[in-house]
Amino acid sequence: MTVSVGVLGYRFMGKAHANALARLPMFFPEAPEVERSVLVGRDEEALSDAADRLGFERTATDWRDVIDEVDAFYNLGPNHVHAEPSIAALEAGTPVLCEKPLANDLESAERMAEAAAEAGDGVPTATAFNYRFVPAIQYAKNLIEAGELGEIRHFRGRYLQDWLVDPEAPWSWRNDAEMAGSGALGDLGAHTIDLARFLVGDVERVSGHCRTFVDERPVEGGGDEEESAETREVTVDDAYSAQAELAGGVMASFEASRFATGHKNDHVIEVHGSKGSLKFSLERLNELEVLREGDRGYQTILVTDEDDPYVEHWWPPGHVVGWEHTFVHENYEFLSTVESGGEYHPDFADGLAVQRALAAIQESDERGEWVAVE
Ligand code: SOE
């Protein structure tokens, strides 16, 4: 079967997924054949440039014309555009991969998960939590499942960036509550919470704290004179932190910021169990630090051996992989499910579970008390 893919969005994530689709036949010959069929966007000129660059056969300016013509629909638009096209695609029986967080609010995420459930098992969905597909993260999951760390007691995750430290950094949809839903919380925290669920277990209750440091930003192209420059309000958090309890009484702490000076894409996960511990850092994604029972210090494992997850598809041991490979692995798993059936995770139900935790952290911040994640 040749799987034709329609992609909404052609900027950062459009490029990451188009690159993944192009790599599949070279490195994953057992993957279904894929056609980069149609790229969807509103600005015709920019869209046609992007389609040429990213290898799409044609373009469309309305997603409605595409959703039932393709075998898989990728929704890579801003968060407020996730619900309507994804639900319509599912109603047309088309599998959907949607970027994270699943939606800009809980109610939309619920509708999306409901549409996925109604579409049934033959119509897989994906929430694009690509960090599940880092070989070292899969290695960590295997260690935990094999009981190598014993009973898990702690999960700690922080995701630090610094692209908003400058108060003059321009306003974008990511600063708007209507469009994004939340700031560092949904954009970065969603990844951490997904990894907590993947590696350890569901989030059961949270105590959250959200903070906006700069509440107005200049609009790009909004005036030359400093005094008359147009600005827009920032209505999302710049940073959040939360304490949480995971299934089985695991203690967790989560944190993310766009104001962590000097940190570019610094996502760190730590897990402690009764017998051992592990640490992972995205900026050193080929490595996993593991402390096993009886060890006095962590051992750094280079997760590039042939029998490590996904590695046989790439290079010999020590020939490291990068951030973009996580998208190749994710696309491989999702499109294989589209072709052959079966279960894919993280699906829309996983995306909804993360969205519930995000909403509970916001609610807890507003109420000043612990909130249960329903
Ligand atoms: C934002 O800064 C961002 O690009 C996120 O949107 C991605 O999900 C994350 O992987 C990297 O940072």
Side-chain angles (χ1 to χ4, degrees), residues 12 100 130-131 159 161 163 174 187-188 191 265 323:
F12 186 15
K100 40 55 57 180
N130 57 308
Y131 297 132
Y159 199 151
Q161 297 186 342
W163 54 279
R174 290 175 188 274
D187 189 35
L188 305 177
H191 280 302
N265 199 27
W323 180 81

Side-chain angles (χ1 to χ4, degrees), residues 9-295:
Y10 52 87
R11 296 187 197 280
F12 186 15
M13 284 305 112
K15 196 165 151 185
H17 286 280
N19 174 62
L21 294 173
R23 301 279 79 74
L24 280 180
M26 274 176 239
F27 293 93
F28 287 74
E30 71 276 39
E33 238 174 77
V34 177
E35 215 167 71
R36 273 165 280 155
S37 172
V38 48
L39 190 63
V40 186
R42 281 180 306 185
D43 176 340
E44 278 186 52
E45 206 183 313
L47 181 64
S48 124
D49 281 355
D52 285 346
R53 203 166 16 90
L54 302 177
F56 282 83
E57 286 165 12
R58 63 187 178 94
T59 61
T61 50
D62 192 340
W63 52 263
R64 289 172 191 83
D65 299 335
V66 164
I67 48 171
D68 57 358
E69 282 180 3
V70 292
D71 301 313
F73 177 67
Y74 283 21
N75 189 335
L76 315 179
N79 304 347
H80 70 297
V81 180
H82 287 181
E84 203 192 345
S86 300
I87 292 171
L90 290 170
E91 284 171 353
T94 304
V96 179
L97 176 147
C98 181
E99 265 305 328
K100 40 55 57 180
L102 188 56
N104 57 336
D105 59 34
L106 184 53
E107 188 263 336
S108 304
E110 278 166 348
R111 285 191 293 116
M112 291 170 78
E114 216 172 272
E118 273 165 21
D121 289 343
V123 185
T125 57
T127 307
F129 291 121
N130 57 308
Y131 297 132
R132 284 196 188 199
F133 301 97
V134 174
I137 290 289
Q138 302 250 332
Y139 186 101
K141 180 162 174 73
N142 293 340
L143 275 186
I144 293 171
E145 278 185 351
E148 295 278 330
L149 304 191
E151 192 183 329
I152 304 303
R153 305 264 161 75
H154 292 282
F155 177 94
R156 195 171 303 110
R158 61 166 175 76
Y159 199 151
L160 307 181
Q161 297 186 342
D162 71 354
W163 54 279
L164 285 184
V165 172
D166 179 358
E168 296 303 313
W171 187 93
S172 75
W173 69 267
R174 290 175 188 274
N175 298 121
D176 184 75
E178 292 278 304
M179 289 192 260
S182 63
L185 173 63
D187 189 35
L188 305 177
H191 280 302
T192 310
I193 293 168
D194 181 62
L195 287 186
R197 293 188 67 250
F198 181 55
L199 294 173
V200 177
D202 276 338
V203 184
E204 294 196 333
R205 61 185 193 117
V206 295
S207 166
H209 178 199
C210 301
R211 179 78 199 267
T212 306
F213 297 110
V214 170
D215 51 21
E216 158 170 65
R217 291 190 172 272
V219 176
E220 227 161 11
D224 301 331
E225 299 281 325
E226 228 171 80
E227 278 163 34
S228 63
E230 196 191 328
T231 61
R232 274 185 84 165
E233 206 187 338
V234 173
T235 49
V236 298
D237 58 285
D238 289 322
Y240 90 100
S241 66
Q243 297 185 59
E245 188 172 318
L246 310 185
V250 175
M251 277 184 86
S253 75
F254 308 132
E255 181 189 8
S257 179
R258 294 165 165 172
F259 271 71
T261 307
H263 295 256
K264 299 304 166 193
N265 199 27
D266 183 11
H267 193 193
V268 170
I269 300 297
E270 298 180 340
V271 181
H272 307 297
S274 54
K275 295 204 295 196
S277 295
L278 61 82
K279 295 189 211 174
F280 168 79
S281 166
L282 180 60
E283 290 181 346
R284 307 184 69 88
L285 68 75
N286 289 272
E287 297 174 4
L288 188 70
E289 293 191 62
V290 180
L291 182 143
R292 292 169 197 268
E293 197 167 23
D295 288 352

Side-chain angles (χ1 to χ4, degrees), residues 290-303:
V290 180
L291 182 143
R292 292 169 197 268
E293 197 167 23
D295 288 352
R296 293 187 64 187
Y298 284 83
Q299 188 190 9
T300 302
I301 297 175
L302 192 61
V303 189

Side-chain angles (χ1 to χ4, degrees), residues 1-4 31-34 71 335 338-340:
M1 167 187 183
T2 299
V3 180
S4 64
E33 238 174 77
V34 177
D71 301 313
L335 293 170
V338 169
E339 183 190 49
S340 315

